[in-house]
Amino acid sequence: MEEKLIDKLLLIGKSIPSLLIGALISIELALAFLGLGFVAGIPLAVGEVYGNKFVRNLVVLPIVEFFRSIPALVLLFLFYFGASYLKLNFSPFIAALLAMGFRSAAYQSQIFRGAIQSIDVGQMLAARSIGMSKFKAIRYIIFPQALRISIPSWSNEYATVLKDTSLVYALGITELMRQGRYIVARTFGNAILVYVVCALIYFVIVHLGVKLLDFLEEKYRLPGYESKKIDTRI
Amino acid sequence: MNPKKLIQEFERTFLKMTHTILKVENLHKSYGKIEVIKGINFELKKGETKVIIGPSGTGKSTLLRCINQLDSIDKGQIWLEDIEITQSHADINQIRASIGFVFQSFNLFAHLTALDNVRIGPLRVKEMKEKEATKIAVEELKRVGLEDKKDHYPAQLSGGQQQRVSIARALSMNPKLILFDEPTSALDPELIGEVLEVMINLAKEGTTMIVVTHEMGFACSVANDIIFMDGGIILEEGPPEQIFKNPKHNRTAKFLSKITQLEGDKTK
């Protein structure tokens, strides 16, 4: 019994380096997906709020609905096999980036849209009244305020995207989940142990990121809007 | 006084009084099927303070918003000096930059300090250097008596202080005229005075302005000219003495007596 425990601990010790390498890949993937999601999500949000009927109904909404309505794993296969069918030959990484990046863009666009729409119309009016173009008003007045409002919901999106990187193992990318599968395959009968370690690693990464976003939320909170202790008796 | 100086003085006064800043001709505006403004004509001279009074829902605020085109117009023309700003190819951003607007609800930029609120116009619209823009902003904040609050955010200021910052924001663009849309209506009674004081000083310094207000004391003492609007038209226009003492229209008299009943006669 004791020998068995030592064996297991040794196994964990030996697996940790390759799991951490996998975790690093997972983080890189998440950053890439979130980055593309951010860069593409903002124009989608602006287009949905300020665009004309054509932009909103024929460009923004179809993209958003497409990526929100299809499961992530199906999107991954569609992009990977679809590309090879069209003779585009995407690497698994590019296929994953497009599928998961635009999926995140669809969700992020809705976070930013909500934030933009929650800003008082008076802000836009005041910006236009001193002669700002619509673009400048969005850039200097609406956007900085919308970003602040977005942080809490964006932290949700961050957690979702990071955890969903585990799906891309299906395309053969050796991120944390796939490293775990390798170890399970090599050392028969340790599945639960390895996956518990994987789960712990995911938990730590997500938790640290959420803490960082909480910190940013506090840091960029506008003076005069400090979070007040809610009286629980009310 | 030597004759040369006298002529100069005369010319200055004369030109100042005859130079037309704003001309509104036959302005119409509808929201859906409801016509809010039904043909308005007036002129504003340089240095003049015009006060618009009238019952609520008669299109006073809409008129102001049409002037700097925050609302589109349906018919008519508006001239800013010699430029027709209602032409379709007029550069609307440039026009708005030269017309200040002070809102009832202040609308200070919530994420910017008082200083940044005032300097963002010179910085981002006029594209001045930061040093220059800051200098202007500090001067304008001094003018409204809030230099010491420059690092405060809007949420940290009282309503009266916010409105004074928003006046400074309008002034920082060095506008040809400033439109005030009920600037004291959202304020607690004890904060109205500080805003009116700033506006009285502006009028004395020769700022060209149009003020929509229910402050009859201000209208009576500061306005060169009062417009009484009712039902989307100008019912009566004239100097304060005439409007307050000898209104031509029954409706003007009725409106004024209602206001003075509510607030006490501030026009004396």
Side-chain angles (χ1 to χ4, degrees):
Chain A
M1 185 67 202
E2 241 172 56
E3 221 168 275
K4 238 184 170 182
L5 186 71
I6 290 169
D7 274 354
K8 303 243 163 183
L9 285 174
L10 273 176
L11 171 76
I12 294 177
K14 266 196 268 176
S15 336
I16 290 273
S18 62
L19 287 179
L20 285 183
I21 289 169
L24 209 62
I25 306 271
S26 292
I27 293 173
E28 283 170 14
L29 286 169
L31 290 179
F33 298 165
L34 286 166
L36 176 60
F38 185 82
V39 171
I42 283 166
L44 285 173
V46 171
E48 187 169 345
V49 180
Y50 297 108
N52 55 27
K53 247 187 224 162
F54 172 79
V55 170
R56 193 166 40 243
N57 294 331
L58 295 179
V59 182
V60 176
L61 292 180
I63 294 176
V64 170
E65 286 317 309
F66 178 82
F67 283 97
R68 283 203 307 179
S69 313
I70 296 171
L73 197 54
V74 181
L75 278 177
L76 283 169
F77 287 151
L78 275 181
F79 272 74
Y80 187 58
F81 295 109
S84 73
Y85 178 77
L86 296 170
K87 304 225 163 21
L88 284 168
N89 286 326
F90 286 165
S91 70
F93 172 73
I94 293 293
L97 177 65
L98 292 178
M100 302 299 271
F102 280 109
R103 178 171 182 261
S104 182
Y107 284 105
Q108 289 190 45
S109 75
Q110 297 309 298
I111 294 173
F112 298 133
R113 174 183 67 87
I116 290 171
Q117 286 175 332
S118 76
I119 295 169
D120 190 87
V121 242
Q123 298 285 307
M124 181 53 113
L125 280 177
R128 301 305 306 273
S129 84
I130 57 171
M132 281 193 189
S133 63
K134 210 169 200 177
F135 178 80
K136 278 184 182 172
I138 293 171
R139 161 76 182 76
Y140 295 113
I141 306 301
I142 304 298
F143 193 61
Q145 296 187 43
L147 268 195
R148 284 179 167 85
I149 298 169
S150 300
I151 296 175
S153 344
W154 201 86
S155 129
N156 248 349
E157 174 63 10
Y158 151 78
T160 307
V161 168
L162 202 138
K163 287 177 292 179
D164 284 355
T165 56
S166 63
L167 293 170
V168 307
Y169 94 94
L171 298 190
I173 297 174
T174 47
E175 40 64 71
L176 175 54
M177 195 58 192
R178 195 163 189 91
Q179 293 284 13
R181 299 265 297 180
Y182 284 158
I183 296 163
V184 172
R186 272 202 309 268
T187 63
F188 189 74
N190 289 308
I192 187 64
L193 185 65
V194 174
Y195 290 136
V196 165
V197 176
C198 286
L200 278 173
I201 295 175
Y202 277 118
F203 181 87
V204 170
I205 299 171
V206 171
H207 185 70
L208 289 178
V210 167
K211 282 283 160 216
L212 174 70
L213 287 164
D214 283 351
F215 169 76
L216 292 178
E217 184 186 339
E218 263 330 297
K219 183 172 179 215
Y220 288 104
R221 193 185 292 281
L222 295 174
Y225 290 97
E226 285 87 0
S227 49
K228 306 219 166 56
K229 275 228 167 82
I230 289 173
D231 190 339
T232 45
R233 289 167 306 179
I234 297 173
Chain B
M1 202 184 262
N2 70 49
K4 210 174 171 187
K5 240 184 174 175
L6 201 68
I7 291 168
Q8 273 176 359
E9 181 84 355
F10 172 77
E11 272 180 346
R12 221 183 45 186
T13 326
F14 180 73
L15 288 177
K16 193 177 146 192
M17 291 312 290
T18 53
H19 181 53
T20 300
I21 293 275
L22 184 80
K23 199 161 104 183
V24 174
E25 273 182 5
N26 194 27
L27 183 71
H28 287 260
K29 166 76 189 172
S30 303
Y31 289 118
K33 277 183 185 165
I34 301 161
E35 195 172 33
V36 191
I37 293 181
K38 303 168 181 168
I40 283 200
N41 299 281
F42 72 88
E43 257 184 50
L44 185 71
K45 302 257 192 285
K46 191 172 172 152
E48 192 181 7
T49 300
K50 219 183 252 297
V51 170
I52 304 179
I53 59 173
S56 59
T58 47
K60 307 185 296 291
S61 296
T62 307
L63 173 62
L64 287 196
R65 290 157 66 111
C66 284
I67 291 173
N68 82 341
Q69 317 230 334
L70 287 177
D71 257 334
S72 59
I73 70 166
D74 296 326
K75 209 172 123 188
Q77 278 134 26
I78 300 171
W79 300 74
L80 184 68
E81 295 188 309
D82 48 2
I83 304 162
E84 192 200 332
I85 64 178
T86 34
Q87 275 175 326
S88 54
H89 59 265
D91 181 352
I92 190 59
N93 294 325
Q94 210 188 331
I95 292 158
R96 289 204 190 111
S98 56
I99 303 178
F101 200 102
V102 175
F103 297 86
Q104 182 178 351
S105 47
F106 333 132
N107 293 345
L108 285 184
F109 303 130
H111 63 304
L112 299 178
T113 60
L115 180 72
D116 283 332
N117 260 285
V118 180
R119 106 182 134 166
I120 196 163
L123 210 55
R124 300 299 180 199
V125 178
K126 290 192 166 175
E127 296 181 349
M128 284 183 184
K129 296 232 167 62
E130 190 170 330
K131 219 175 152 185
E132 217 180 327
T134 307
K135 203 179 139 213
I136 291 175
V138 171
E139 269 166 30
E140 299 304 354
L141 280 174
K142 256 187 213 165
R143 209 162 152 192
V144 299
L146 285 173
E147 198 202 358
D148 57 324
K149 300 279 186 213
K150 67 182 166 61
D151 296 323
H152 284 55
Y153 284 84
Q156 298 170 313
L157 298 171
S158 74
Q161 290 169 339
Q162 288 190 55
Q163 194 58 298
R164 281 148 68 199
V165 173
S166 98
I167 293 172
R169 175 173 70 185
L171 287 168
S172 73
M173 297 297 287
N174 193 21
K176 290 177 178 147
L177 78 156
I178 305 183
L179 310 172
F180 292 84
D181 185 8
E182 302 202 28
T184 58
S185 297
L187 295 175
D188 290 336
E190 81 268 24
L191 301 177
I192 291 174
E194 61 188 74
V195 173
L196 288 182
E197 196 183 322
V198 167
M199 292 169 62
I200 290 167
N201 285 332
L202 288 181
K204 276 188 194 152
E205 286 162 21
T207 312
T208 314
M209 36 201 235
I210 303 180
V211 184
V212 171
T213 187
H214 293 291
E215 291 295 325
M216 293 305 150
F218 173 83
C220 193
S221 59
V222 180
N224 302 106
D225 204 36
I226 290 183
I227 286 178
F228 177 72
M229 268 180 80
D230 194 13
I233 57 160
I234 294 179
L235 207 61
E236 192 163 350
E237 181 177 1
E241 309 83 62
Q242 180 201 318
I243 301 280
F244 285 111
K245 306 298 172 215
N246 300 302
K248 285 180 195 146
H249 280 267
N250 217 354
R251 264 192 286 175
T252 316
K254 248 187 190 163
F255 172 76
L256 289 171
S257 78
K258 230 185 221 167
I259 291 265
T260 45
Q261 254 175 33
L262 278 172
E263 303 189 0
D265 195 348
K266 293 181 187 167
T267 63
K268 278 171 188 160

